[in-house]
Amino acid sequence: MSSHERQRLQPRMDALDVTGPDRIGRLVDLILSEALHCAASDVHLEPGHATLEVRFRIDGVLQSVAVLTRELAPNLVARLKVLAELLTYRLDIPQEGRIANALGRPGVDMRVSTFPTIHGEKAVVRIFDPAGRTLELEQLGLPLELLQSVREVLRQRAGAFLLTGPSGSGKTTTIYACLRHLVSASAGGRHVVTIEDPVEQVLEGVTQSQARPGTEFDFARGLRSLLRQDPEVIMVGEVRDADTAEVAIQAALTGHLLLSTVHAGSACGVIGRLLDMGIEPYLLTSTLRGILNQRLVRRLCTACRQEEQTSARPGWEAVGCDRCAGTGYHGRLLLAELLVPADELRHAILVRSEVAALEEAAGAARATLWDEAARAVARGATTQLEVDRVLGPRKKPG
């Protein structure tokens, strides 16, 4: 959403009846429906000293879509709190809630988070629309060799397959695609169970449950109970603490294929984090089957992209047109690298090496995120500027 799109949305908001009794409800509906139309992943309502700014996160980038009067902020946030069944009279504490089947659309869920600031409550709405997130493993856009390697990992009967990447890097979409592949490849012959927070998509042929952190049904306790349900494949939404890590690795060690996500900066960073959580090195070398590290970059709009004429390196640049709302980008592209531990890396794990040493032991022969990014830039799928924005400047060896 650029100024091109903002010029379209702002007048529609301004045109709503200023004094109408249902104006706030209609304004919230307009904001949320427009966010769905634009395939936004998040909506931000940010009160300032004199205005309320509305921003959408589209293709991973926050973009301003409208500026409203500051007086509207309390009522708009209150309306969201009503929809999410939050306490409207508590303005001094953060709150989280959920809007199921938002805007009357089955399957469209929204998570509402409010946070007190010096200018009043700020609200963020995260949108879960299954229509735009239901992909098969073959539709993720992985290179053929990497896709075949992932399939090989998923054919294992036991061990741990972990995914990593920052928030918004598409881990959930990838892990659901893996689950669909497992169900399809086994023709329903493998018992696949999950414990998630939240359940973002309902999968046929998979037994899904939702954990509630802070209660008696957290990830670790739920996972212990799931092990008594005769599972063959277990997906844990996230390994976020030592208790969950311990139970998950034990599950992978005792004849279950475990899929989960771990927040870390790199594939080897996952290993370092698990070691820091207290997982014994010999357990990691025995159970770890693969780590997929991924990022999402914006895809160049094919209707307006142009080859760069001034750069010393061949490449493409974003121009902007009506199709991409003037941004030069349309949709997103998955960049991924798969780390499958070999002997040298296993030895480095056993001696509790630092992450830098683990990276060196992983070897230079494997295709990295940077390699995939360079190929994407060369074929005109994205730009070097976009790669630098997502991956940051590349560190030189030594």
Side-chain angles (χ1 to χ4, degrees):
M1 176 90 59
S2 63
S3 58
H4 172 102
E5 196 70 21
R6 177 172 173 171
Q7 291 170 3
R8 185 176 69 87
L9 181 58
Q10 182 80 56
R12 294 172 63 192
M13 292 186 174
D14 294 340
L16 290 176
D17 181 12
V18 176
T19 60
D22 62 343
R23 187 200 180 199
I24 296 300
R26 289 190 293 135
L27 192 54
V28 168
D29 287 350
L30 174 61
I31 292 170
L32 297 182
S33 61
E34 191 67 21
L36 276 173
H37 173 73
C38 297
S41 61
D42 301 87
V43 176
H44 290 237
L45 300 182
E46 302 177 354
H49 175 68
T51 61
L52 171 69
E53 186 172 16
V54 182
R55 299 204 289 172
F56 291 171
R57 187 176 296 280
I58 301 174
D59 291 337
V61 178
L62 267 179
Q63 302 175 34
S64 179
V65 298
V67 176
L68 304 174
T69 59
R70 172 67 181 80
E71 290 72 21
L72 287 172
N75 290 332
L76 289 176
V77 174
R79 175 59 180 168
L80 286 173
K81 291 167 79 171
V82 169
L83 293 173
E85 299 181 350
L86 301 178
L87 302 176
T88 56
Y89 60 88
R90 291 302 303 268
L91 311 180
D92 57 334
I93 59 172
Q95 296 188 64
E96 295 181 13
R98 174 173 172 258
I99 308 173
N101 299 321
L103 300 173
R105 305 187 191 188
V108 176
D109 286 3
M110 299 183 179
R111 277 192 288 175
V112 177
S113 170
T114 64
F115 195 86
T117 76
I118 60 172
H119 296 301
E121 284 187 292
K122 176 182 185 292
V124 174
V125 182
R126 173 151 287 189
I127 300 173
F128 298 96
D129 182 4
R133 299 158 64 92
T134 305
L135 297 176
E136 302 295 332
L137 192 60
E138 295 74 16
Q139 296 174 317
L140 295 177
L142 295 172
L144 181 58
E145 183 178 352
L146 181 55
L147 175 61
Q148 291 173 341
S149 297
V150 170
R151 286 173 178 158
E152 184 60 35
V153 172
L154 295 176
R155 275 196 286 268
Q156 304 293 318
R157 307 302 296 187
F161 178 40
L162 304 176
L163 285 76
T164 191
S167 179
S169 61
K171 298 186 299 296
T172 300
T173 299
T174 299
I175 208 166
Y176 276 142
C178 290
L179 292 176
R180 290 191 190 90
H181 174 79
L182 286 164
V183 172
S184 175
S186 68
R190 298 177 77 176
H191 185 199
V192 183
V193 299
T194 76
I195 179 167
E196 311 169 53
D197 175 36
V199 175
E200 296 183 20
Q201 297 178 27
V202 177
L203 303 176
E204 290 295 327
V206 178
T207 301
Q208 296 173 267
S209 58
Q210 180 158 322
R212 294 175 178 83
T215 71
E216 294 184 5
F217 187 20
D218 58 17
F219 277 127
R221 294 174 185 175
L223 183 51
R224 288 189 182 96
S225 296
L226 275 183
L227 291 174
R228 305 186 189 100
Q229 293 286 310
D230 188 32
E232 293 170 278
V233 179
I234 302 171
M235 189 276 268
V236 180
E238 182 185 350
V239 174
R240 59 177 67 158
D241 55 57
D243 286 344
T244 306
E246 180 182 358
V247 181
I249 294 300
Q250 286 294 336
L253 187 66
T254 55
H256 307 88
L257 179 62
L258 174 90
L259 281 68
S260 190
T261 66
V262 180
H263 277 289
S266 65
C268 288
V270 170
I271 299 172
R273 183 154 185 229
L274 291 173
L275 290 172
D276 289 342
M277 287 182 184
I279 302 300
E280 291 295 331
Y282 74 90
L283 291 177
L284 284 181
T285 58
S286 300
T287 59
L288 199 54
R289 298 293 177 263
I291 302 173
L292 189 73
N293 180 27
Q294 66 178 65
R295 302 289 189 276
L296 289 174
V297 296
R298 290 183 294 173
R299 187 187 295 272
L300 264 175
C301 176
T302 56
C304 63
R305 67 179 182 180
Q306 290 182 0
E307 289 192 71
E308 291 183 329
Q309 304 298 324
T310 58
S311 175
R313 293 181 299 175
W316 300 75
E317 59 182 348
V319 177
C321 65
D322 289 341
R323 178 175 180 265
C324 60
T327 65
Y329 299 93
H330 186 70
R332 288 200 280 181
L333 173 71
L334 177 64
L335 302 178
E337 61 179 356
L338 177 66
L339 175 62
V340 177
D343 291 343
E344 188 174 351
L345 179 57
R346 290 193 182 96
H347 176 74
I349 295 172
L350 287 173
V351 297
R352 296 179 180 272
S353 299
E354 297 293 329
V355 172
L358 293 174
E359 294 281 2
E360 185 176 349
R366 65 189 177 98
T368 67
L369 280 178
W370 284 101
D371 296 326
E372 294 303 320
R375 295 187 186 105
V377 171
R379 67 175 184 268
T382 189
T383 65
Q384 188 61 48
L385 283 175
E386 176 65 7
V387 168
D388 292 343
R389 182 188 70 84
V390 174
L391 298 184
R394 188 170 191 175
K395 296 180 180 179
K396 295 181 180 179

